[in-house]
């Protein structure tokens, strides 16, 4: 787990006989069009607009889901979608920690699946090749969850896979 605000990190355990598999779509990322920067700008706009109601926030990390739901109606649709992804992803990350510490790989896998759906539908950084690879991985026996990894717009998936023996 990496905390970029506090510059702290620690490793989290995977249950025995569990592996993380990275699968490459062979579709190179296409970030040159500025799409990543537009998503970042949408999140910064969400912070600017939410400051009217929650003056102490510095980033979306400072907004929990309850606060976000309370004031999100004041955000334009696209800004809302991008910000909702970030706020929910931060919550998913916090939920993942005890799941991994307690060896609950099924719940962790569910979070991976939720993350991919959010990256696809709210943050809109997935592409058809990534979606197909995630769907295939999710359909495999022993795969607990799968999501795209990295910045999106191409690249790799990360299925959490159980391996026998």
């Amino acid at each position: 787990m990496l905390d970029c605000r506090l510059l702290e990190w620690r490793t989290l355990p995977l249950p025995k006989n569990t592996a993380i598999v990275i699968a490459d779509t062979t579709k190179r990322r296409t970030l040159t069009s500025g799409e990543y920067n537009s998503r970042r700008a949408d999140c910064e706009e969400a912070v600017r607009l939410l400051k009217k109601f929650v003056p102490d926030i510095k980033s979306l990390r400072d907004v929990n889901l309850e606060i976000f739901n309370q004031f999100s109606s004041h955000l334009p649709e696209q800004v809302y979608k991008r910000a909702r992804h970030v706020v929910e992803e931060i919550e998913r990350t916090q939920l993942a920690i005890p799941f991994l510490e307690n060896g609950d790989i099924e719940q962790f896998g569910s979070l991976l699946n939720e993350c991919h759906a959010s990256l696809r539908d709210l943050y809109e950084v997935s592409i058809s090749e990534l979606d197909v690879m995630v769907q295939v991985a999710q359909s495999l026996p022993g795969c607990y969850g799968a999501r795209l990894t990295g910045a999106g717009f191409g690249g790799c998936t990360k299925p959490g896979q159980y391996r026998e023996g």
Side-chain angles (χ1 to χ4, degrees):
M1 186 191 76
L2 174 64
D3 185 322
C4 293
R5 177 180 280 176
L6 301 176
L7 301 178
E8 296 175 354
W9 66 274
R10 66 183 169 115
T11 58
L12 295 168
L14 283 176
K16 188 176 179 181
N17 298 324
T18 302
I20 293 178
V21 177
I22 306 294
D24 190 353
T25 64
T26 71
K27 176 83 173 177
R28 299 292 50 108
R29 287 187 181 90
T30 55
L31 296 178
T32 56
S33 63
E35 290 298 320
Y36 181 81
N37 289 338
S38 74
R39 279 147 182 81
R40 182 180 172 101
D42 287 340
C43 291
E44 290 168 354
E45 178 66 2
V47 170
R48 188 186 72 75
L49 293 170
L50 291 171
K51 271 185 182 261
K52 296 173 186 174
F53 310 99
V54 188
D56 294 340
I57 68 170
K58 296 179 182 82
S59 72
L60 288 173
R61 177 176 171 167
D62 301 319
V63 180
N64 64 33
L65 193 53
E66 182 181 342
I67 291 171
F68 183 80
N69 287 337
Q70 186 176 356
F71 300 111
S72 63
S73 63
H74 300 280
L75 301 176
E77 182 180 354
Q78 182 169 296
V79 170
Y80 164 83
K81 286 170 46 175
R82 305 308 189 229
R84 174 164 289 287
H85 164 73
V86 171
V87 170
E88 290 179 347
E89 186 65 3
I90 290 167
E91 184 171 295
R92 278 189 288 273
T93 300
Q94 293 305 308
L95 290 171
I97 295 167
F99 290 155
L100 287 172
E101 290 173 335
N102 296 322
D104 192 343
I105 198 68
E106 291 88 3
Q107 290 293 334
F108 177 73
S110 292
L111 293 175
L112 291 177
N113 294 335
E114 288 175 23
C115 175
H116 185 76
S118 183
L119 285 163
R120 181 191 62 221
D121 301 336
L122 296 177
Y123 216 59
E124 298 178 299
V125 294
S126 193
I127 59 172
S128 61
E129 292 88 346
L130 287 167
D131 293 338
V132 167
M133 285 187 77
V134 165
Q135 289 172 341
V136 168
Q138 290 169 337
S139 73
L140 296 174
C143 180
Y144 292 110
R147 57 159 282 189
L148 72 83
T149 188
F153 303 107
C156 301
T157 64
K158 179 171 51 179
Q161 182 108 16
Y162 173 77
R163 293 201 176 175
E164 295 281 346

